[in-house]
Amino acid sequence: MDMIGKVRRMKLRDKFSTSAIAKRTGLSRNTVKKWLKAPGSKAMGYPFSSPRLTMVASPAP
């Protein structure tokens, strides 16, 4: 999992403070604050499913 995802989860789900997240991850508090302030990226969400290939029957010889 991406580090920014771990940081967001620690803040939102686990209710850790910014300082506690910084200590646990080894990141600076400024980096943690910046990541939490940033809007979610497409990488954070679930990816869209790719179109599925359809099976095409081959013509009988």
Side-chain angles (χ1 to χ4, degrees):
M1 174 178 272
D2 202 26
M3 180 63 84
I4 193 167
K6 288 180 184 178
V7 168
R8 288 179 186 260
R9 184 175 64 240
M10 290 171 89
K11 181 69 173 182
L12 299 174
R13 188 186 73 185
D14 301 333
K15 306 293 185 200
F16 286 127
S17 67
T18 303
S19 297
I21 295 169
K23 285 179 185 176
R24 289 176 183 255
T25 60
L27 299 169
S28 72
R29 287 181 316 194
N30 289 336
T31 302
V32 172
K33 283 191 250 182
K34 182 172 66 172
W35 284 3
L36 293 172
K37 220 187 276 189
S41 66
K42 289 183 181 179
M44 292 297 296
Y46 293 103
F48 292 105
S49 61
S50 60
R52 295 183 181 187
L53 298 175
T54 56
M55 300 277 298
V56 178
S58 59

